[in-house]
Amino acid sequence: MIRTVESEPHASAPVLAAYSYCEAVTGQQARNFAYGIRLLPPPKRRAMSALYAFSRRVDDIGDGALTEEAKTARLEDTRALLTRVRAGEVDEDDIDPVAVALAHAADHFPIPLGGLDELIDGVLMDVRGETYETWDDLKVYCRCVAGAIGRLSLGVFGTEPGARGAERAPEYADTLGLALQLTNILRDVREDAQGGRTYLPADDLAKFGGSAGFRGPTPPEGSDFVGLVHFEVRRARALFAEGYRLLPMLDRRSGACVAAMAGIYRRLLDRIERDPEAVLRGRVSLPGREKAYVAVRGLSGLDARHVARRTVRRRV
């Protein structure tokens, strides 16, 4: 069973300053993530911000304008920093505030830092321009860039004492990460294609006549883009249903955090399902007021119960 510390972790002024930096990065750059972590108590919120800031650094390297060689070198430098954090070689006076915050968080919560190595591995897949023949192939990538984040977050959240089936909590956190990442892939299919990236499995693209890719505002002639999207939406919904089994294992505020983040993506998936070709015309997103509404529903537990009822109806 994964549990977090019960008391407020002591943090010196330099450490609090490092956390403040990470929270600023999260507030400025996390479009959806920030809505969930606002629901956490301060120690967990700060630890999650440290995880986000480190992850954002890794993602920014992968998305930057450097050469493949330069990106690879910078990612390996970041991995070396992670090794220093893991070895306890980062003190509060370190010049890097993200390293300081992450080291403090890892000292006070059972965070499986190997998940950040997996994230680096996933971004290296992007840098090398890997493509995926099957869903099983794509799952490897999704587990690196999203499932790992779910398992890292679980190290901060912990599970409730006596929670039934808590030994499967990391598996459910991983699966929820896959659901979020597949939703991201659907939302960004045109943007990724324009950037030379294809994430959807080649088998699925071939099945629906989409092997030529989706770089424009209309699907290629002869393709069944709507059928492809609906196929992937069903896959994502099954992942959400499985991943939501994590929620009863968490305390109320951690569960609210997860429900809010997952709920935002699930609503994005709903929008994509209603109008699949919208993702070819522009970026599908939720307005801020709707994200805030989802966060409130998460805090009350309403969104998770709504998903549970829908899952039961679908199975019936």
Side-chain angles (χ1 to χ4, degrees):
M1 181 179 295
I2 299 171
R3 296 185 184 177
T4 57
V5 293
E6 297 296 328
S7 59
E8 173 107 5
H10 171 73
S12 65
V15 170
L16 288 174
Y19 276 130
S20 293
Y21 173 85
C22 293
E23 289 186 291
V25 170
T26 303
Q28 292 166 7
Q29 299 191 39
R31 293 188 181 95
N32 300 321
F33 188 80
Y35 282 87
I37 68 170
R38 288 173 186 166
L39 305 177
L40 295 170
K44 291 184 179 182
R45 186 176 66 242
R46 289 195 291 260
M48 290 294 289
S49 293
L51 285 173
Y52 178 84
F54 187 93
S55 301
R56 180 76 266 163
R57 178 179 295 181
V58 173
D59 286 342
D60 285 347
I61 294 170
D63 292 336
L66 299 173
T67 65
E68 178 179 340
E69 182 180 7
K71 287 182 179 181
T72 300
R74 287 194 61 187
L75 286 168
E76 292 304 335
D77 287 343
T78 307
R79 196 192 301 274
L81 174 61
L82 180 60
T83 299
R84 288 180 54 220
V85 171
R86 188 182 289 112
E89 296 173 357
V90 174
D91 61 39
E92 64 182 31
D93 296 320
D94 195 281
I95 195 171
D96 187 337
V98 176
V100 172
L102 183 61
H104 186 270
D107 281 344
H108 292 85
F109 294 94
I111 299 172
L113 291 177
L116 292 173
D117 279 303
E118 292 180 61
L119 173 62
I120 294 170
D121 291 339
V123 173
L124 282 168
M125 293 181 197
D126 281 335
V127 170
R128 293 191 295 264
E130 291 194 18
T131 55
Y132 308 97
E133 290 297 315
T134 67
W135 167 237
D136 283 341
D137 295 333
L138 180 59
K139 277 197 292 188
V140 174
Y141 169 77
C142 291
R143 285 206 162 97
C144 284
V145 300
I149 302 302
R151 286 178 268 117
L152 287 158
S153 301
L154 183 61
V156 175
F157 299 146
T159 54
E160 285 283 82
R164 186 175 180 181
E167 69 280 356
R168 298 191 66 183
E171 173 190 337
Y172 295 140
D174 184 278
T175 300
L176 201 52
L178 265 63
L180 270 58
Q181 186 63 25
L182 183 53
T183 303
N184 267 338
I185 288 170
L186 289 173
R187 181 194 63 188
D188 298 339
V189 65
R190 180 187 175 189
E191 180 181 334
D192 289 332
Q194 289 175 333
R197 293 177 177 176
T198 301
Y199 291 100
L200 289 175
D203 282 359
D204 296 351
L205 293 171
K207 186 185 304 182
F208 292 93
S211 297
F214 304 98
R215 293 176 173 81
T218 57
E221 186 176 352
S223 68
D224 180 10
F225 184 74
V226 171
L228 171 65
V229 170
H230 284 166
F231 177 80
E232 303 297 350
V233 165
R234 288 193 294 274
R235 175 176 279 157
R237 288 198 186 284
L239 293 168
F240 273 113
E242 182 75 5
Y244 263 88
R245 295 185 181 186
L246 174 67
L247 294 182
M249 302 174 187
L250 307 178
D251 66 77
R252 179 172 176 265
R253 291 177 70 174
S254 295
C257 173
V258 175
M261 289 188 288
I264 287 169
Y265 279 88
R266 188 177 54 77
R267 283 169 180 258
L268 280 174
L269 195 67
D270 290 344
R271 290 193 172 203
I272 292 169
E273 182 180 38
R274 287 195 299 269
D275 184 9
E277 292 186 13
V279 299
L280 298 179
R281 299 191 296 268
R283 190 179 185 88
V284 177
S285 62
L286 301 183
R289 63 182 179 278
E290 187 170 350
K291 292 178 183 179
Y293 172 72
V294 174
V296 171
R297 285 178 64 88
L299 191 59
S300 66
L302 289 173
D303 225 34
R305 291 197 293 271
H306 175 65
V307 171
R309 288 196 299 271
R310 289 183 62 178
T311 301
V312 170
R313 288 199 299 270
R314 286 175 185 273
R315 288 176 176 172
V316 172

